[in-house]
């Protein structure tokens, strides 16, 4: 599959190497397309060996093996498949990540020239990967230890974190389309969209800390095919409105251009997600996904804490790079607003922001004095939580007003979107916000940020054994 219309990145001449791909499988339906994509990598001459290590977490290992065996059944295939320990219960995401990373790290030691690729099971590998994988040895030669890749397609954030910008697009696009002749060819405003993406990198995200000007600006619907009429485009918009609830990209897809010179354009980052390249096995073998617990429940963003530990404790070099995979959202999954995940996301994001601020705000702040400065992290954490709750409050208020505009101006002409609008209305209700705020505040009375920070060295030492 292609994710860009034009691929400026050229393959780089490199010596052959082995590639280990680690995936946590929570759903056979989700992982099957990814395994099919991995199977296409067997044709790449520079890949000496390919090994896929799967941790079945929510699916039976035997069922996953049946699917993988059918996909990788070709004769002389360089692809081997191994599995993590059979789970008697579903692991939390942080526990699963620590387990699979330790296994993949050990496997890297079996090969002389080897890199690892840790992927979420709902990712798709684009054709462009055939070129950008050839750049991994060059990054290794430049003493880069970890590369944080990015995404095209669906945002890695929860669907609820993109509702405001997409309703904004729905209103602007319907108003624009209604002002055109239905039988005329849809004008192509992709140049405007491209400038918008370059100016506001978080253009798809309601809760950006980088900027907020993008929230009220439109992202225009562009022709699906040559000669598409205004009426056809309008029907397409209405038909796909429900995707706002599932997080599948439609009105405002995530599009990341691939750099012509990745080495030059890569930047330091700990903002790790479900697309990570490991060039140094120590990043996997010496670093756990440290988990902040609240009343025994795991908070999110442990992968980013993993990156912080690698960068500031182990002094490894971690760079973000424009090597995207396609985030394949599944629209057949019933959309719902998960309050517990929302609260977990708020706390995890606040902890990550507080720790990053601690290290980046003062070059004198080093890891060795972190345990004694847990109170500074704790204060910053509380400030980021409060800031995020204010963002939620404002977001819910604006979305409520957007729904009123849609109801008064567009619902009678397009009654089929009513069910989606009703569902969104329940998501952003005052009751939901009050519940989120109450859950966050009640949990934070029982959360020990100082204790968590003080425990990190012990967690790291235990993981290394």
């Amino acid at each position: 599959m292609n994710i860009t219309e034009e691929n400026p990145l050229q393959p780089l001449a490199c010596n052959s190497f082995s590639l280990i791909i680690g995936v946590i499988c929570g759903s056979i339906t989700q992982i099957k397309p990814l395994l099919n994509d991995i199977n296409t990598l067997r044709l790449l001459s520079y890949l000496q060996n390919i090994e896929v290590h799967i941790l079945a977490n929510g699916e039976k290992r035997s069922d996953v093996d049946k699917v993988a065996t059918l996909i990788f059944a070709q004769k002389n295939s360089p692809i081997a498949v191994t599995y993590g320990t059979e789970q008697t219960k579903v692991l939390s995401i942080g526990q699963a990540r620590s387990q699979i990373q330790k296994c993949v790290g050990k496997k890297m030691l079996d090969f002389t020239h080897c890199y690892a690729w840790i992927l979420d099971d709902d990712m798709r590998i684009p054709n462009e990967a055939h070129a950008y994988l050839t750049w991994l040895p060059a990054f290794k030669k430049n003493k880069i230890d970890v590369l944080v890749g990015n995404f095209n397609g669906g945002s890695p954030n929860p669907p609820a974190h993109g509702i405001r910008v997409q309703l904004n697009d729905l209103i602007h696009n319907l108003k624009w389309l209604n002002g055109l002749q239905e039988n005329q060819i849809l004008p192509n405003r992709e140049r405007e969209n491209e400038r918008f993406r370059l100016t506001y990198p978080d253009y798809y995200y309601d809760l950006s800390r980088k900027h907020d000007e993008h929230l009220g600006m439109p992202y225009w619907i562009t022709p699906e095919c040559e000669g598409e009429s205004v009426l056809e485009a309008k029907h397409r918009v209405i038909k796909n409105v429900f995707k706002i609830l599932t997080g599948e990209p439609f009105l405002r897809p995530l599009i990341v251009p691939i750099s012509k010179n990745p080495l030059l354009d890569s930047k330091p980052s700990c903002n790790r997600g479900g697309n990570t390249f490991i060039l140094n096995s120590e990043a996997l073998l010496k670093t756990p996904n440290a988990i902040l617990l609240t009343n025994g429940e795991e908070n999110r963003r442990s992968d980013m804490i993993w990156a912080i530990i690698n960068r500031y404790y182990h002094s490894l070099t971690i760079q973000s790079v424009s090597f995207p995979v396609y985030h394949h959202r599944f629209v057949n999954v019933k959309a719902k607003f998960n309050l517990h995940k929302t609260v977990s996301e708020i706390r995890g994001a606040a902890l990550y922001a507080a720790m990053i601020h601690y290290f980046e705000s003062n070059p004198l702040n080093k890891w060795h004095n972190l345990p004694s400065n847990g109170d500074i992290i704790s204060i910053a954490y509380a400030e980021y939580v409060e800031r995020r709750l204010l963002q939620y409050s404002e977001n819910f208020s604006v979305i409520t007003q957007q729904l009123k505009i849609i109801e008064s101006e567009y619902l009678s002409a397009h009654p089929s979107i009513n069910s989606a609008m009703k569902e969104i209305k329940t998501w952003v209700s005052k009751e939901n916000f009050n519940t989120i705020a109450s859950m966050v505040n009640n949990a934070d009375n029982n959360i020990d940020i100082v204790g968590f920070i003080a425990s990190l060295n012990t967690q790291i030492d235990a993981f290394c054994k």
Side-chain angles (χ1 to χ4, degrees):
M1 62 179 294
N2 287 308
I3 55 176
T4 57
E5 294 181 2
E6 181 182 349
N7 179 20
L9 182 66
Q10 297 301 313
L12 196 64
C14 66
N15 293 325
S16 62
F17 58 88
S18 299
L19 182 66
I20 300 174
I21 300 173
V23 187
I24 299 168
C25 176
S27 164
I28 289 177
T29 302
Q30 287 191 164
I31 200 174
K32 189 174 179 180
L34 174 60
L35 296 180
N36 279 312
D37 291 342
I38 291 172
N39 196 37
T40 66
L41 302 180
R42 59 191 285 272
L43 302 175
L44 301 178
S45 60
Y46 57 82
L47 291 182
Q48 195 170 25
N49 300 284
I50 305 172
E51 186 168 319
V52 184
H53 184 77
I54 301 172
L55 175 62
N57 190 42
E59 294 278 7
K60 290 183 179 179
R61 188 170 69 179
S62 58
D63 292 340
V64 179
D65 184 54
K66 289 177 184 177
V67 174
T69 300
L70 286 173
I71 292 173
F72 300 129
Q74 290 89 349
K75 292 181 179 179
N76 303 318
S77 173
I79 298 179
V81 183
T82 60
Y83 296 92
T85 306
E86 185 80 67
Q87 302 301 316
T88 56
K89 64 178 182 178
V90 177
L91 299 175
S92 69
I93 187 61
Q95 292 172 327
R97 283 174 179 150
S98 288
Q99 186 175 128
I100 196 170
Q101 288 171 185
K102 194 74 170 279
C103 291
V104 170
K106 289 180 179 178
K107 290 179 181 297
M108 289 180 71
L109 300 178
D110 294 336
F111 301 95
T112 304
H113 301 290
C114 182
Y115 310 113
W117 196 0
I118 309 295
L119 289 166
D120 285 352
D121 63 357
D122 57 352
M123 300 299 164
R124 299 292 307 275
I125 298 175
N127 291 336
E128 289 85 348
H130 299 180
Y132 65 60
L133 287 173
T134 64
W135 286 74
L136 297 185
F139 277 99
K140 176 68 174 180
K141 186 177 181 180
N142 279 267
K143 303 187 183 305
I144 306 300
D145 300 295
V146 176
L147 289 171
V148 177
N150 47 22
F151 310 93
N152 274 314
S155 163
N157 300 302
H161 292 177
I163 291 177
R164 178 176 174 179
V165 291
Q166 293 197 74
L167 288 183
N168 177 68
D169 294 341
L170 179 62
I171 292 169
H172 278 87
N173 277 284
L174 287 178
K175 182 177 181 180
W176 172 51
L177 294 172
N178 286 343
L180 301 174
Q181 295 295 319
E182 289 188 339
N183 62 349
Q184 78 175 84
I185 301 300
L186 179 69
N188 192 338
R189 305 181 73 169
E190 173 55 26
R191 288 290 180 87
E192 294 174 63
N193 290 343
E194 184 179 0
R195 287 195 295 269
F196 186 37
R197 294 193 299 267
L198 291 172
T199 305
Y200 304 107
D202 279 354
Y203 67 94
Y204 57 90
Y205 187 34
D206 288 355
L207 307 176
S208 172
R209 297 202 313 268
K210 296 177 181 177
H211 48 73
D212 57 15
E213 295 89 345
H214 69 292
L215 294 172
M217 299 175 67
Y219 193 95
W220 301 109
I221 188 77
T222 55
E224 185 177 44
C225 59
E226 187 176 351
E228 183 180 29
S229 70
V230 168
L231 181 60
E232 289 170 333
K234 191 186 300 184
H235 286 164
R236 183 159 56 92
V237 169
I238 297 304
K239 179 182 177 181
N240 287 282
V241 160
F242 76 97
K243 292 180 180 178
I244 295 174
L245 294 163
T246 67
E248 194 198 4
F250 176 68
L251 286 170
R252 199 176 283 221
L254 180 50
I255 300 174
V256 179
I258 298 178
S259 166
K260 291 182 180 180
N261 190 332
L263 283 170
L264 185 64
D265 294 337
S266 67
K267 299 176 181 178
S269 176
C270 290
N271 193 19
R272 182 196 170 188
N275 175 24
T276 308
F277 303 89
I278 310 297
L279 313 183
N280 182 346
S281 61
E282 289 191 3
L284 299 179
L285 294 172
K286 295 185 176 181
T287 306
N289 276 260
I291 303 166
L292 175 67
L293 297 176
T294 308
N295 297 329
E297 292 188 6
E298 178 181 315
N299 293 302
R300 297 174 73 85
R301 303 291 181 98
S302 66
D303 50 350
M304 296 185 183
I305 305 304
W306 173 91
I308 288 175
I309 294 171
N310 269 315
R311 181 176 177 183
Y312 293 103
Y313 180 89
H314 294 302
S315 299
L316 298 187
T317 302
I318 304 177
Q319 299 281 111
S320 66
V321 64
S322 187
F323 290 172
V325 290
Y326 187 86
H327 188 198
H328 183 47
R329 294 279 193 178
F330 284 80
V331 299
N332 59 339
V333 178
K334 180 173 173 54
K336 60 181 180 179
F337 189 88
N338 190 315
L339 290 170
H340 286 280
K341 280 190 175 180
T342 299
V343 172
S344 175
E345 177 73 20
I346 290 172
R347 292 195 295 254
L351 176 63
Y352 169 72
M355 292 186 71
I356 283 293
H357 178 75
Y358 171 80
F359 286 111
E360 292 185 351
S361 63
N362 187 344
L364 297 178
N365 288 340
K366 304 296 182 183
W367 188 276
H368 68 83
N369 56 24
L370 177 66
S372 62
N373 286 322
D375 55 335
I376 296 176
I377 305 292
S378 183
I379 292 170
Y381 165 86
E383 291 174 352
Y384 280 111
V385 165
E386 183 178 0
R387 188 180 306 177
R388 183 52 61 100
L389 286 176
L390 286 173
Q391 284 183 304
Y392 266 83
S393 177
E394 179 187 345
N395 229 39
F396 280 24
S397 177
V398 171
I399 291 170
T400 299
Q401 293 304 312
Q402 290 172 326
L403 291 171
K404 289 179 179 179
I405 293 172
I406 292 168
E407 181 179 3
S408 64
E409 298 185 18
Y410 302 107
L411 201 56
S412 60
H414 308 290
S416 62
I417 68 174
N418 188 40
S419 60
M421 296 304 107
K422 281 186 174 180
E423 183 68 20
I424 292 172
K425 189 174 182 179
T426 65
W427 285 17
V428 298
S429 65
K430 288 184 178 179
E431 291 77 13
N432 261 358
F433 175 76
N434 290 337
T435 301
I436 291 169
S438 176
M439 289 173 69
V440 169
N441 292 328
N442 288 340
D444 283 350
N445 291 331
N446 299 296
I447 202 167
D448 184 8
I449 300 295
V450 175
F452 172 77
I453 296 299
S455 75
L456 286 175
N457 286 346
T458 302
Q459 289 191 56
I460 295 167
D461 291 341
F463 187 79
C464 290
K465 292 180 180 178

